[in-house]
Amino acid sequence: MIEPVRLVIWDLDGTFWAGTLTEGGHTYNDANHNIVVELAKRGIVSSICSKNDFETVRELLTASGIWDYFVFPSIGWTPKGPRLKQLIEDVQLRPETVLFLDDNPQNLNEAKFFLPELQTADHAIIPRLLESPLLAGNADPELIRLKQYRLLESKKSDQAIAADNVEFLRSCEIKTSIEPNVEKHLDRAIELINRTNQLNFTKRRLPEDMATAREALLEQLGEFDAQAGLVRVMDRYGDYGYCGFYLVRTRRGQSRLEHFCFSCRILHMGVENWMYQRLGSPFIEVSGEVLTELSSDTVIDWIGLCNHGEDRKTQNGAASLPRVFIRGACLVSPLAHYFQMTAKEVTGEFNHIRHAVSIRIDHSLMLRYAIEGVDDDRMEIFEGLGFLPGDFHTAFLDRPEEPCIRLLSSWVDVQSIVYRHKQSGALVPYKVKRMVKRGVDVLGPEEDVEEHLHLLPRRAAEAVRYLRENFEFVGMLPEKEADDAWDVILGAVPEGQPIFLALASEGGAEGRPRTAEFNQRLQRAVKRHPRKTIVPITFADLASDLISDEQRGSNHFHRSVYYRVYQEIRACWNMRLPPAGAARDSGESVSEPLSVATT
């Protein structure tokens, strides 16, 4: 299938103009001059491959006002085949997207020998060139595409004389910024998904019909577990615009890239590898051939991160935030995506499922056990339920002497999932996912439970039988035990280091008494620890009243809400937070979170 043309390479003598320049009989062709200009307005750039004297041609085309419309001109007396191959490598395009025009059949055959996929045509096609659907392009009245290729040309010139490529890249002062509001630039994201090839790692295309493509991408962007961004690249040569797009989906702390694609204009700059590392090296199923092998090992220290909207007036984002610790469920796991861009280090601890048993490490009781440690007798009890020793380990107190932002979400505390060991009195949160979905009570009538146990993995079935024999149902964590758990957690936070607590939304009718009680427990805990820097934060309060679908249920949100939460936390850190206990002294409560304005 013939692909749309992105670059036209012109021969000069007998093609761009009539006659031969060195023989003094050339006639300048204004019509071809206008074609080059019109192509540029369509986002299709032009180049030259001619056997001529470089300075003579440049002087003539400069006088005609067209020289600056040509990028990477190859003008000399050596054979055209090798020069065409080098030219196309320099512009970082595939030959399939390039059209070479020449009146000499031998030159066309030579070009096809070196570049079999190259599109070629003789001069007879030129009058019909603008009518071809392959050269329809995309409207570019400001000649942005041409300017970007001129930036690339200037950079290539400097790179050619550099002694070391990495040192050259460091000298380029490469900066990136991430635009999280993809909807604002939806068509550009679609163009990157559908038109990039060399650096499109997943090749998950959208429909060619633009209206259908917009609808499809908006649906993907609207998933509660989706995080996405457009990648803008700048360096000392100029601004390359939005030349990358990613969409990553994260559940229970596990991430997968659905889209990861970049324009060839940033090829060999290291941006795609740098971005992959910033995203935490998520799982990606690479489709087809790509020009870069993604690696999480290569140290890319020549690229910095700009805050969105601040262009290049930034520092390297790697040091802008300290270590970040996030523990919870799907309410907070998407935040790791944003902190990975700007934090020194991000550690996430999230609930997960093992053999159909839901390991709710996001419960406050589980964090208390992880901080205090679990003795051998209790560990033996918990292992009977399907837990492992690693479920009671945490990085919550790793390197306490270093600055750290901690974010906890324990919304699961509002659920009635706590059981008590009959003999020892040990409490534990416990859910069997598949039985919950079927509405089966694990301590219900034996005939009902046994009917479903054969549907579970063997280890899960054994755990349920162990639970039925040795535990009794409690429900929501009792008040005293809840107070004790939060005292252990907040007491372990080093003074002067902030901890952000995600509050339960009290907006919905379902479970409102329990969510109110959960928030009240946190309020009491905050007051008991006035010397600690504790910042309650309510996700629902950061959802826009103008956008009806930003909150999806009680604990799922559109990615724009997560971005605002990230901004809120970052702004608090940058302001170094209010003095410890200040909010409590002024009478603020947990149900009215301490916060700063976000933009």
Side-chain angles (χ1 to χ4, degrees):
M1 178 180 177
I2 300 178
E3 297 190 32
V5 174
R6 302 176 66 180
L7 170 69
V8 176
I9 302 177
W10 296 76
D11 170 47
L12 296 178
D13 293 336
T15 303
F16 184 72
W17 54 53
T20 303
L21 182 61
T22 57
E23 297 176 2
H26 89 285
T27 302
Y28 193 81
N29 191 320
D30 290 327
N32 292 349
H33 175 117
N34 294 335
I35 289 174
V36 170
V37 174
E38 174 58 28
L39 288 174
K41 292 179 180 178
R42 299 181 182 187
I44 300 171
V45 292
S46 293
S47 185
I48 296 170
C49 188
S50 170
K51 291 183 178 179
N52 258 305
D53 177 70
F54 184 92
E55 292 301 330
T56 302
V57 169
R58 180 167 63 176
E59 183 178 346
L60 190 157
L61 294 180
T62 299
S64 301
I66 198 69
W67 176 253
D68 287 339
Y69 281 82
F70 293 104
V71 299
F72 292 93
S74 178
I75 303 168
W77 299 106
T78 58
K80 289 189 176 183
R83 286 198 281 137
L84 283 167
K85 186 175 182 180
Q86 185 62 54
L87 191 160
I88 292 173
E89 288 179 2
D90 287 343
V91 295
Q92 300 177 173
L93 290 174
R94 292 178 301 116
E96 294 92 331
T97 64
V98 179
L99 172 63
F100 174 49
L101 301 173
D102 199 303
D103 67 310
N104 188 328
Q106 182 179 359
N107 290 336
L108 296 177
N109 289 329
E110 181 183 351
K112 292 294 269 185
F113 176 82
F114 281 90
L115 298 159
E117 301 86 4
L118 181 69
Q119 299 185 49
T120 61
D122 64 24
H123 63 298
I125 197 177
I126 296 175
R128 305 188 306 276
L129 209 58
L130 296 178
E131 301 170 9
S132 171
L134 295 177
L135 287 101
N138 293 301
D140 186 13
E142 297 181 0
L143 307 183
I144 293 174
R145 188 65 58 86
L146 175 62
K147 294 173 184 176
Q148 289 169 342
Y149 275 101
R150 295 206 68 82
L151 290 178
L152 181 61
E153 184 178 17
S154 177
K155 178 185 288 187
K156 284 286 184 181
S157 177
D158 290 348
Q159 188 175 13
I161 61 175
D164 181 271
N165 189 57
V166 171
E167 287 305 315
F168 169 74
L169 289 171
R170 289 196 181 102
S171 74
C172 290
E173 302 173 12
I174 303 170
K175 300 289 184 182
T176 65
S177 68
I178 311 300
E179 168 59 89
N181 187 1
V182 178
E183 289 83 352
K184 185 178 177 181
H185 307 277
L186 197 65
D187 288 358
R188 178 55 179 157
I190 293 170
E191 182 181 21
L192 286 164
I193 292 169
N194 282 354
R195 298 290 175 258
T196 56
N197 288 286
Q198 295 162 298
L199 292 178
N200 189 321
F201 291 85
T202 63
K203 296 182 177 63
R204 296 174 182 266
R205 308 299 190 185
L206 296 169
E208 284 298 322
D209 176 71
M210 185 56 77
T212 309
R214 292 186 186 115
E215 183 179 347
L217 184 54
L218 284 172
E219 183 177 352
Q220 295 176 26
L221 291 168
E223 295 291 338
F224 78 88
D225 59 351
Q227 302 300 317
L230 280 160
V231 183
R232 181 179 172 187
V233 180
M234 299 150 280
D235 63 17
R236 66 185 177 92
Y237 294 93
D239 189 341
Y240 298 85
Y242 293 118
C243 49
F245 173 72
Y246 67 86
L247 189 152
V248 61
R249 300 186 67 173
T250 303
R251 291 195 178 186
R252 300 188 182 95
Q254 302 298 312
S255 297
R256 176 190 180 98
L257 275 165
E258 299 289 329
H259 294 291
F260 195 60
C261 49
F262 297 85
S263 167
C264 60
R265 74 183 67 149
I266 53 91
L267 185 64
H268 305 312
M269 293 172 67
V271 172
E272 64 278 7
N273 260 296
W274 181 88
M275 194 71 231
Y276 182 65
Q277 293 173 19
R278 281 289 171 185
L279 291 172
S281 303
F283 175 80
I284 182 170
E285 186 175 343
V286 177
S287 175
E289 293 185 4
V290 288
L291 295 182
T292 302
E293 182 178 347
L294 293 177
S295 170
S296 58
D297 299 326
T298 305
V299 177
I300 301 176
D301 59 2
W302 57 83
I303 298 177
L305 180 69
C306 300
N307 291 329
H308 174 65
E310 293 186 1
D311 294 330
R312 297 177 63 230
K313 297 190 276 183
T314 66
Q315 52 216 337
N316 191 317
S320 60
L321 287 177
R323 292 187 305 114
V324 175
F325 172 87
I326 304 174
R327 184 176 172 113
C330 51
L331 173 69
V332 292
S333 62
L335 288 171
H337 163 75
Y338 296 109
F339 284 110
Q340 281 165 347
M341 301 292 176
T342 55
K344 178 181 178 182
E345 176 186 325
V346 178
T347 300
E349 297 177 353
F350 307 108
N351 68 303
H352 54 281
I353 295 174
R354 182 187 301 123
H355 307 305
V357 175
S358 188
I359 310 299
R360 300 307 306 233
I361 69 164
D362 51 325
H363 199 285
S364 62
L365 190 59
M366 294 291 287
L367 181 55
R368 175 189 178 179
Y369 288 156
I371 292 172
E372 291 184 324
V374 176
D375 59 36
D376 292 342
D377 290 340
R378 278 194 300 173
M379 193 66 248
E380 184 177 353
I381 294 170
F382 294 154
E383 285 177 339
L385 295 174
F387 290 100
L388 297 176
D391 299 330
F392 301 91
H393 294 166
T394 182
F396 186 75
L397 292 178
D398 281 3
R399 305 193 299 278
E401 71 283 355
E402 292 184 18
C404 181
I405 294 173
R406 295 171 176 83
L407 173 62
L408 296 184
S409 170
S410 294
W411 276 24
V412 71
D413 280 21
V414 307
Q415 297 184 19
S416 296
I417 60 171
V418 176
Y419 295 83
R420 178 183 287 110
H421 188 246
K422 295 175 184 178
Q423 184 174 352
S424 69
L427 296 171
V428 66
Y430 199 72
K431 288 178 72 172
V432 181
K433 193 73 172 178
R434 295 186 189 177
M435 297 185 74
V436 170
K437 284 186 175 180
R438 292 181 171 87
V440 180
D441 182 357
V442 294
L443 294 184
E446 184 174 356
E447 59 273 16
D448 292 347
V449 174
E450 287 294 333
E451 181 182 348
H452 288 83
L453 287 185
H454 74 280
L455 300 174
L456 299 178
R458 178 181 58 83
R459 292 183 181 179
E462 292 174 353
V464 171
R465 293 191 178 100
Y466 180 81
L467 180 82
R468 289 175 60 83
E469 293 173 4
N470 297 282
F471 283 79
E472 60 185 6
F473 179 68
V474 174
M476 191 173 174
L477 186 64
E479 182 176 314
K480 181 182 183 306
E481 285 78 2
D483 289 346
D484 291 345
W486 283 108
D487 283 344
V488 170
I489 294 168
L490 298 181
V493 179
E495 289 190 17
Q497 297 191 23
I499 180 168
F500 294 82
L501 301 180
L503 303 182
S505 174
E506 300 182 23
E510 184 179 357
R512 184 180 295 170
R514 293 200 303 272
T515 56
E517 183 176 354
F518 170 78
N519 288 341
Q520 289 165 8
R521 290 177 177 182
L522 280 185
Q523 181 180 18
R524 293 195 300 269
V526 169
K527 289 181 178 179
R528 291 195 301 271
H529 297 268
R531 296 186 61 80
K532 300 300 175 73
T533 308
I534 306 169
V535 187
I537 190 165
T538 303
F539 282 55
D541 288 352
L542 294 175
S544 172
D545 294 334
L546 303 177
I547 304 177
S548 60
D549 66 345
E550 283 203 337
Q551 182 167 357
R552 285 85 185 278
S554 61
N555 59 353
H556 290 156
F557 295 89
H558 187 271
R559 69 183 195 284
S560 57
V561 176
Y562 295 112
Y563 184 63
R564 291 186 204 119
V565 172
Y566 160 76
Q567 287 181 306
E568 179 97 350
I569 294 172
R570 178 169 179 154
C572 283
W573 173 261
N574 288 339
M575 294 176 64
R576 290 303 183 266
L577 300 154
R584 274 63 72 191
D585 293 341
S586 63
E588 288 195 48
S589 68
V590 164
S591 59
E592 297 179 275
L594 179 85
S595 64
V596 298
T598 58
T599 56

